[in-house]
Amino acid sequence: MKIDIKYPIEIKKALKKIEDNGYKAYLVGGVVRDYFLNREANDYDVITNLSKEGIKKLFKPDDNSKYPYCFSLNTKFDTLVILLNETIKIEISSFKNNDDIKKDLLKRDFTINSLAVDCNNNLYNYSSAIEDIKNKVLRFNSDAEYIIKEDPSRILRYFKFLARLDFKEDEESLKAIYRNKELIKTVSVEKINICFKEILIYNPTLIKLMDKVGLIEILYPDLYRLKEIKQHSKYHYENAFDHTMTALSYSKKDTELKDEQKYIINYALLLHDIGKHDTITIDEEGYEHYIGHPLDSYYKSINILKHYKISKKETELILLLIKNHDIELNGTRRCFNRLVNKYQIDSKEKLYLLYKVKIFDRLAHKEGFNDPKNITSTYNKLVEYYNEFENKTISILDLEINGKEIMRILNITPSKKIKEIKEELLKQVLCGTLKNENRELITYVTNKYKSKN
């Protein structure tokens, strides 16, 4: 069976080059799957019966060119990357089963990834791949136990593909994951983070399905323990874990957010209540309270984000939202000043992220306490102050105080501390709490910093 699949001519020439030298080569996996999904392909994987050394020899650059350029990617699966030109590359690996394309395809992770075409666009399919694509079902290919044990990161790849493709789960695949869930402990945090990021971006509600097969208890035990917090109060109707899942479900429905915003917001929602376990008190009427839980959640989350090697920038934003998700807001300049100076919500983007977290959290409350209208009206008023704040053109160089004066007042030598103080002064001037006058700036520096030195 031939298919009318389109891909760069450079890749077709690479396949033909291998075949012209007496070997077999097939375009496999995502590019063929995406053809049947009517999606544009970005990655091109090739399998061949040519050896790794043979591939390197065949794809050596010409004397007057640096292309094609070949280098190793994955030593476990003997994968090579070949840069065909500045923009087009293929990932190429040798057959796992000699020259048997059928056996090789059936050893691939999921049925939908076990399709191949040759340079003449002949389709090779030995599984239920096309039917599964049509029905939008994700299942492991042939022997799920073998596939998972060969590479346990496929456990999380399963949920990543469910999220990215918006497919339905397969019960037998979930059972195989449950039986092998402990293997997730052998997967590097880098691989976990890559998959989990896509899950949070494309479908964070899959975390509930991940919990069903025992993964959340292993990966995020503090989140799992929220099931014990029944949240018996006038504000909630479900336990703290389910409340978190409900908040994430509202986030999933939001069509305004960019991918990076979704990731930051959803990670913050995921962890925003994990401090409730250690802050719970019960009043005389039997209602539960969690005074100070945002700060406790913040400190617990520091270790979690560090463990999963989340980037510094992302960590700072996630922690900022967790720590401040429960603060009271109003549309006054005083509130704006407090946000900028006390809570470090010092940009319109940070305010927007906090606003979204508070909206999704509010929507997940009991009826009568879940109306977000007042949050939205307050946000709109605060945006006006932030616009004024961000449109001011004053810079550090415009401050009516210089570094020498600061060093003299505090009796310190040149250091990065000077820059930090000047950045603080600029923020105060921009938001209107300080006038850009030498006497007032000197008084502020003296009162705030001199006692600390």
Side-chain angles (χ1 to χ4, degrees):
M1 174 183 173
K2 285 182 180 287
I3 60 174
D4 186 27
I5 187 171
K6 300 290 193 301
Y7 52 92
I9 188 65
E10 291 86 353
I11 296 175
K12 187 177 284 288
K13 287 179 179 178
L15 296 178
K16 188 135 187 354
K17 185 174 185 177
I18 295 173
E19 292 200 356
D20 287 347
N21 280 270
Y23 297 93
K24 298 175 182 177
Y26 305 89
L27 201 56
V28 66
V31 61
V32 190
R33 175 200 70 220
D34 289 344
Y35 163 78
F36 287 99
L37 285 170
N38 294 315
R39 291 163 58 102
E40 184 177 349
N42 296 311
D43 300 315
Y44 301 96
D45 297 329
V46 173
I47 55 172
T48 178
N49 61 341
L50 182 58
S51 68
K52 186 175 181 179
E53 291 307 312
I55 296 168
K56 289 180 179 179
K57 186 176 180 181
L58 190 61
F59 288 94
K60 288 196 301 185
D62 299 328
D63 292 337
N64 299 320
S65 174
K66 61 181 179 180
Y67 300 108
Y69 177 71
C70 186
F71 61 92
S72 295
L73 177 67
N74 188 320
T75 54
K76 181 177 179 181
F77 294 109
D78 281 334
T79 302
L80 294 170
V81 174
I82 301 176
L83 302 179
L84 299 175
N85 58 35
E86 290 183 355
T87 59
I88 298 173
K89 69 178 181 178
I90 57 175
E91 292 184 12
I92 185 167
S93 55
S94 300
F95 281 161
K96 299 175 185 177
N97 291 278
N98 299 319
D99 292 356
D100 194 328
I101 181 66
K102 179 179 179 179
K103 287 183 179 179
D104 193 278
L105 291 177
L106 291 176
K107 292 296 182 183
R108 301 186 76 79
D109 51 8
F110 311 120
T111 58
I112 63 171
N113 290 338
S114 64
L115 296 167
V117 293
D118 58 25
C119 65
N120 296 312
N121 289 358
N122 292 305
L123 178 68
Y124 297 80
N125 175 30
Y126 304 101
S127 71
S128 59
I130 295 176
E131 183 182 352
D132 289 342
I133 291 172
K134 180 181 177 181
N135 295 325
K136 302 190 74 173
V137 173
L138 186 65
R139 72 178 84 247
F140 283 109
N141 206 2
S142 60
D143 187 350
E145 299 281 335
Y146 172 84
I147 289 168
I148 292 173
K149 287 174 181 175
E150 182 186 42
D151 182 3
S153 71
R154 288 168 174 162
I155 291 174
L156 276 180
R157 273 173 57 82
Y158 184 85
F159 292 96
K160 183 186 84 168
F161 273 96
L162 281 180
R164 181 175 273 279
L165 299 177
D166 194 24
F167 271 35
K168 299 184 288 288
E169 67 273 13
D170 162 62
E171 283 301 320
E172 291 305 314
S173 296
L174 292 181
K175 289 176 183 177
I177 290 173
Y178 179 77
R179 290 193 297 270
N180 293 279
K181 63 182 182 293
E182 294 295 325
L183 292 177
I184 201 68
K185 295 176 181 178
T186 67
V187 180
S188 70
V189 293
E190 290 85 358
K191 287 185 176 181
I192 291 173
N193 188 26
I194 289 170
C195 291
F196 203 69
K197 184 168 188 173
E198 293 209 23
I199 293 165
L200 285 176
I201 289 172
Y202 294 107
N203 188 0
T205 61
L206 284 174
I207 291 165
K208 197 160 188 174
L209 187 61
M210 291 172 64
D211 177 61
K212 179 181 175 182
V213 295
L215 295 177
I216 297 303
E217 186 175 9
I218 298 170
L219 296 173
Y220 292 92
D222 285 310
L223 176 63
Y224 179 81
R225 290 177 67 212
L226 287 182
K227 294 179 180 182
E228 301 169 9
I229 305 299
K230 302 305 179 184
Q231 296 200 128
H232 179 57
S233 75
K234 60 182 181 180
Y235 305 108
H236 294 281
Y237 63 94
E238 55 190 350
N239 68 53
F241 179 86
D242 288 338
H243 161 76
T244 298
M245 297 302 106
T246 301
L248 287 170
S249 73
Y250 282 109
S251 172
K252 181 178 181 290
K253 297 173 185 176
D254 193 295
T255 57
E256 295 179 356
L257 297 170
K258 299 174 184 176
D259 285 355
E260 190 60 30
Q261 290 173 328
K262 290 179 187 176
Y263 177 60
I264 298 298
I265 288 167
N266 289 338
Y267 222 138
L269 286 172
L270 190 75
L271 304 177
H272 79 289
D273 275 351
I274 60 174
K276 284 188 172 180
H277 213 285
D278 297 327
T279 56
I280 185 171
T281 58
I282 302 176
D283 66 20
E284 295 177 352
E285 297 179 18
Y287 286 135
E288 296 176 4
H289 302 275
Y290 319 96
I291 298 171
H293 80 271
L295 191 59
D296 206 70
S297 298
Y298 166 84
Y299 285 118
K300 286 178 181 291
S301 297
I302 290 174
N303 294 327
I304 293 171
L305 299 173
K306 183 178 180 180
H307 172 73
Y308 284 114
K309 298 183 179 179
I310 310 303
S311 75
K312 182 181 178 181
K313 180 181 177 182
E314 291 169 339
T315 294
E316 288 175 352
L317 284 173
I318 293 165
L319 291 175
L320 187 73
L321 299 180
I322 292 170
K323 189 176 183 179
N324 297 313
H325 79 267
D326 217 26
I327 61 175
E328 290 291 330
L329 299 180
N330 59 61
T332 64
R333 181 173 286 279
R334 184 177 181 183
C335 179
F336 160 72
N337 289 338
R338 195 171 71 249
L339 283 169
V340 172
N341 296 313
K342 181 178 180 180
Y343 300 117
Q344 303 303 306
I345 312 295
D346 53 9
S347 71
K348 198 160 53 177
E349 172 66 11
K350 290 178 183 177
L351 176 69
Y352 180 71
L353 296 175
L354 180 63
Y355 160 66
K356 286 294 185 178
V357 167
K358 292 180 77 66
I359 286 285
F360 302 140
D361 187 28
R362 174 69 61 84
L363 288 168
H365 279 64
K366 187 184 290 185
E367 188 173 354
F369 299 95
N370 63 346
D371 188 347
K373 288 179 182 177
N374 64 326
I375 297 176
T376 300
S377 62
T378 295
Y379 166 75
N380 290 333
K381 290 176 183 177
L382 288 170
V383 165
E384 295 178 12
Y385 294 116
Y386 277 89
N387 285 334
E388 180 185 329
F389 173 64
E390 294 182 354
N391 287 335
K392 288 183 178 179
T393 57
I394 185 173
S395 71
I396 283 179
L397 296 175
D398 299 315
L399 290 173
E400 293 296 326
I401 189 171
N402 58 44
K404 289 182 179 180
E405 288 178 290
I406 295 173
M407 288 188 287
R408 178 181 55 78
I409 295 166
L410 302 181
N411 193 27
I412 58 176
T413 57
S415 67
K416 65 178 183 179
K417 180 72 174 175
I418 308 298
K419 182 181 178 183
E420 291 172 0
I421 292 173
K422 293 178 82 173
E423 287 174 345
E424 167 67 14
L425 291 172
L426 179 63
K427 188 191 297 182
Q428 297 292 340
V429 170
L430 286 172
C431 68
T433 53
L434 278 180
K435 292 180 181 178
N436 189 22
E437 297 176 357
N438 182 259
R439 185 182 296 276
E440 188 162 340
L441 297 178
I442 287 174
T443 301
Y444 183 86
V445 171
T446 302
N447 292 340
K448 181 165 184 177
Y449 295 102
K450 193 169 185 179
S451 61
K452 297 179 181 179
N453 290 279

